[in-house]
Amino acid sequence: MLDLDIAKLSALSPFELKDQLAAAASSDAERLMLNAGRGNPNFLATLPRYAFLALGEFAMQEAARSYAYLDSGFGGLPEARGIVQRFEAYASHHATGEGVIFLRKAIAYVKDQLGLDRDAFLVEMVAAFLGCNYPTPPRMLRHVEEIVKAYLAQEMFGPIPCSGDFSLFATEGGTAAMTYIFQSLAVNKLIRPGDRIALATPIFSPYLEIPALAEYDLDVVDVRMDEHADWQFPESEMAKLLDPAVKVFCLVNPSNPPSNKLSNATLDALARLVADARPDLIIVTDDVYGTFADDFVSLFARCPRNTLCVYSFSKFFGATGWRLGTIGLHRDNVLDAALASQPEDEKQALARRYSSLTAEPAALRFIDRLVADSRAVALNHTAGLSVPQQLQMALFALNGLMDREGRYKTAAKQLIRKRYQTLYGSMGIEVQRGPNDVNYYTLIDLQELAGKIYGSAFEQWFVERDLGIRFLFRLAEETGVVLLPGNGFEVVDTSARVSLANLTEVEYASIGKFTRQVLDEYFKDFVAAVGMPATLAP
């Protein structure tokens, strides 16, 4: 066994600890390492990628038309007039290609369902593929924003009508969205050192780590989900949000790592609390896993005035490498209201900060301040997500909008849920899915598993010895399986996070078998230590 410094290892981010676990798992060159520690999916959406390639070929033909008389590889900007007709001529020669079929449907869809001009849409998409212009507007391309708004309204609002318009900022994945939000909240004095920030725990570890940075120095309040109540918030925990000193409430919904969505009852309770007692509360909801849930509704729909919505295309469409994310904010929102009510000296200071952008900097909306701050204000004119990325984002969104029978979504959900059943079945544990379970991740509660299989005495022994990280290193070293510690996400029980997105079903069966194997070995250690007969508990 490795010589472990548990105190030092426990202080690491789970994603940094992962590298050390992977090194332990790789110690046997003859053995396959099974890394379920990171949530990068091993599946992806093919149709919108075929469409990207098909549009690229057409875009190159359009570019070549402008300077066809030159023989030096010159191209030019696409001509708007007649572009849809030229695309139809191109499509007629590629009528069986999946990408072309998708694009023809998309051109019809945006006109019929979104009211967009077909020529203007296609010109924007062609120019986006070519990458020949700065992102204009910097916050998000006009047609891309309308398409992604329609997609988010479909996926985040469920049966709730969208009340009022909202704006989007296209970002370099959800990670950039998180970074920009904290940065602009601080710069605009909406959070200050020493202020309280509430986190719905367990939670994705950067939400725990960012508030502790010196530039923010926030006082973190845990609003803890109850594992034994379907990972929902007890009333006593939600009551912590009544404290007016809590300026911001951050949550991941569906949760990471428990992978449960907030129930309708919980959404109702939070909406009542905000409306009745905390109309000033700023909410940041990270809803990247919402598209894997059944009948999902976001707090962005239930508390529209208070909520910043972070959504990433990375997981559902298998696009982590594309770095595609958005920040959504309703036109009527508490952040702009808070800016308007600031003391005059702070307004003036902020007006000086943004004075190069507009003649009325005090009226600059928070979402536009996010864009400016992302490029140190002075480079606002060259801000924005690269336009080829925005094109692929639009095609992903159109894939979701045009999949009327939900075939891709159904296949994605079935894939991860079958892996969930296989994992636990291979440990000899029977599990039942609840209505709020999502199963992109699962938390293996090691101490609960120990008690369920071998009894309460072994469970107590396991907990007293704080075997969580040792268990993970033993698992990695002996079997090649890499899992992340639950405590890195503020999980109370000794547990391990398993991503159900990035390995094959056969490999999840092996993870389940090896997890049980190492637990059995610890039970033998327990028997040797306390002198009990090696018999299973009833």
Side-chain angles (χ1 to χ4, degrees), residues 446-447 450-451 454-468 470-471 474 494 518-532:
L446 295 170
Q447 64 192 63
Y454 288 119
S456 59
F458 176 54
E459 179 179 356
Q460 184 177 353
W461 179 87
F462 192 93
V463 172
E464 287 173 350
R465 279 153 185 78
D466 194 19
L467 294 176
R470 293 186 186 278
F471 183 100
R474 187 166 179 172
T494 302
V518 172
L519 193 65
D520 290 346
E521 291 171 4
Y522 271 113
F523 180 67
K524 291 178 182 177
D525 295 344
F526 164 69
V527 169
V530 301
M532 286 180 58

Side-chain angles (χ1 to χ4, degrees), residues 377-392:
V377 181
L379 293 166
N380 181 75
H381 63 291
T382 57
L385 183 67
S386 81
V387 289
Q389 287 173 281
Q390 293 196 48
L391 165 62
Q392 185 66 86

Side-chain angles (χ1 to χ4, degrees), residues 257-283:
S259 204
N260 282 57
K261 70 172 186 177
L262 294 183
S263 68
N264 289 334
T266 300
L267 290 170
D268 289 343
L270 284 169
R272 284 194 302 271
L273 184 149
V274 169
D276 296 342
R278 290 302 314 275
D280 60 325
L281 181 66
I282 298 168
I283 300 172

Side-chain angles (χ1 to χ4, degrees), residues 223-280:
V223 179
R224 189 163 292 280
M225 303 170 189
D226 185 351
E227 177 182 1
H228 303 292
D230 197 28
W231 294 104
Q232 303 299 312
F233 298 116
E235 188 175 335
S236 58
E237 291 296 303
M238 279 195 286
K240 295 176 180 178
L241 300 175
L242 296 173
D243 180 359
V246 173
K247 300 298 177 65
V248 180
F249 176 40
C250 296
L251 70 157
V252 178
N253 180 32
S255 52
N256 177 5
S259 204
N260 282 57
K261 70 172 186 177
L262 294 183
S263 68
N264 289 334
T266 300
L267 290 170
D268 289 343
L270 284 169
R272 284 194 302 271
L273 184 149
V274 169
D276 296 342
R278 290 302 314 275
D280 60 325

Side-chain angles (χ1 to χ4, degrees), residues 190 279-280 282 305 329-342 347 364-366:
L190 298 176
D280 60 325
I282 298 168
R305 191 169 186 271
L329 183 63
H330 281 81
R331 292 275 180 174
D332 176 23
N333 64 80
V334 295
L335 294 109
D336 289 338
L339 291 173
S341 65
Q342 285 176 326
K347 284 184 183 179
L364 193 67
R365 298 185 306 155
F366 182 77

Side-chain angles (χ1 to χ4, degrees), residues 3 20 24 37 50 89 96 109 136 172-173 199 272 285 293 307 331 342 348 395 400 409 486 505 517 530:
D3 184 20
Q20 299 200 35
Y50 279 129
T96 60
Y109 182 90
T136 307
E172 301 87 342
L199 303 179
R272 284 194 302 271
T285 183
T307 305
R331 292 275 180 174
Q342 285 176 326
Q348 290 301 318
L395 294 173
K409 178 180 282 194
E505 191 166 336
Q517 172 187 312
V530 301

Side-chain angles (χ1 to χ4, degrees), residues 123-162:
V123 166
E124 184 175 277
M125 297 300 102
V126 166
F129 179 88
L130 296 171
C132 52
N133 288 312
Y134 289 109
T136 307
R139 181 163 55 77
M140 200 166 188
L141 298 178
R142 289 187 175 91
H143 294 82
V144 173
E145 182 175 17
E146 292 306 312
I147 291 163
V148 176
K149 280 167 61 176
Y151 172 70
L152 292 180
Q154 172 182 286
E155 299 296 338
M156 302 288 107
F157 286 72
I160 298 176
C162 184

